[in-house]
Each structure stands twice: as C-alpha cells, then as structure tokens.
C-alpha cells in the first residue's frame, strides 16, 4: 500500500494526460518517505457512463481519487499525504477547471491487515534494483 485509484469522466480523457498524472501522484507518495515503493499503485479509470448533476452542463467533468492505505500512520502524515496529492491534482487540471465545469475530490480509506491478502514480489525486486 498505498493504492490510489482515480475515476474520471471519459470526456476528460484526451486533455487529462492521465498517464503523466499517475506518475506525478506516485512521485508524491514516494516522496512522503512512509510508503514502501513496492506497495505504491496509481491507476486511472475512465467512466464512460456518468451523469453530473441534472446533466445540463454537457462538458462538465469529474476526477475522484480514492487512496487506500494500511492502518498505523498518524493523522498528520495522512493529512500531509492528502494535501500534497490534492495539490498535484488541482494543478494538473488548472486549464480544464478554468474552461469547464469540473469536480475534483480525494478520499482516504484506511484498513487493518485483517481481511487483506497479498502476494507480492515487488518489494524484493525494487530492493534488488537499488543495490
């Protein structure tokens, strides 16, 4: 962990540069110094079918981020992570925000290790890559 999933209205796909955004958000998570590199995942999923409000703002869009982390980090760490991720999201969509209706949001979900199964060799591979 952490895993960050972005859901976005498909009308943002072309102008959204989501591959770059995923990399920028992963850099933020890594820079926090509290999340293992082998656990970081950032993905963006286009929502083809959606309705915003009553549908009358035809070019309006949204991006919602869901950050999932394991339990054990303090509130200050969690808030710093959210603030820095959200700043990147807002900066990334400055042009779209100025030109169209746009809703950006980010939510954190923290869970215990009970009920979470993992089978992962990425920690080992990243460690060996750095040595």
């Amino acid at each position: 962990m952490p895993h960050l999933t972005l859901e976005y209205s498909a009308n943002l796909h072309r102008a959204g540069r989501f591959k770059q955004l995923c990399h920028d958000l992963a850099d933020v998570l890594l820079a926090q110094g509290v999340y293992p590199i082998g656990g970081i995942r950032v993905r963006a999923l286009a929502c083809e079918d959606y309705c915003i409000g009553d549908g009358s703002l035809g070019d309006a869009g949204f991006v919602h981020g869901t950050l999932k982390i394991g339990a054990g980090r303090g509130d200050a760490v969690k808030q710093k992570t959210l603030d820095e991720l959200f700043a990147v999201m807002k900066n990334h969509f400055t042009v779209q925000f100025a030109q169209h209706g746009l809703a950006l949001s980010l939510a954190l979900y923290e869970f215990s290790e009970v009920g979470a199964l993992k089978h992962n060799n990425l920690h080992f591979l990243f460690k060996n890559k750095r040595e």
Side-chain angles (χ1 to χ4, degrees), residues 2-109:
H3 292 194
L4 175 57
T5 302
L6 302 175
E7 297 173 88
Y8 65 92
S9 56
N11 63 333
L12 295 175
H13 184 73
R14 240 175 24 189
R17 305 175 338 273
F18 284 94
K19 186 171 188 169
Q20 183 62 52
L21 179 58
C22 288
H23 284 278
D24 293 346
L25 294 169
D27 288 345
V28 169
L29 292 169
L30 189 56
Q32 300 300 303
V34 296
Y35 305 110
I37 188 172
I40 294 173
R41 315 273 190 284
V42 181
R43 60 191 73 103
L45 308 170
C47 297
E48 295 292 333
D49 301 313
Y50 62 91
C51 182
I52 296 172
D54 64 3
S56 64
L57 298 177
D59 63 352
F62 70 86
V63 180
H64 174 69
T66 303
L67 177 64
K68 296 178 183 178
I69 64 171
R73 293 173 184 89
D75 289 344
V77 169
K78 293 184 282 190
Q79 190 62 56
K80 181 177 183 286
T81 299
L82 288 173
D83 289 345
E84 292 182 17
L85 288 170
F86 202 57
V88 168
M89 289 173 65
K90 289 191 322 186
N91 184 60
H92 188 84
F93 290 102
T94 301
V95 171
Q96 289 85 351
F97 194 86
Q99 295 176 349
H100 309 283
L102 180 62
L104 300 176
S105 56
L106 177 62
L108 172 77
Y109 295 92

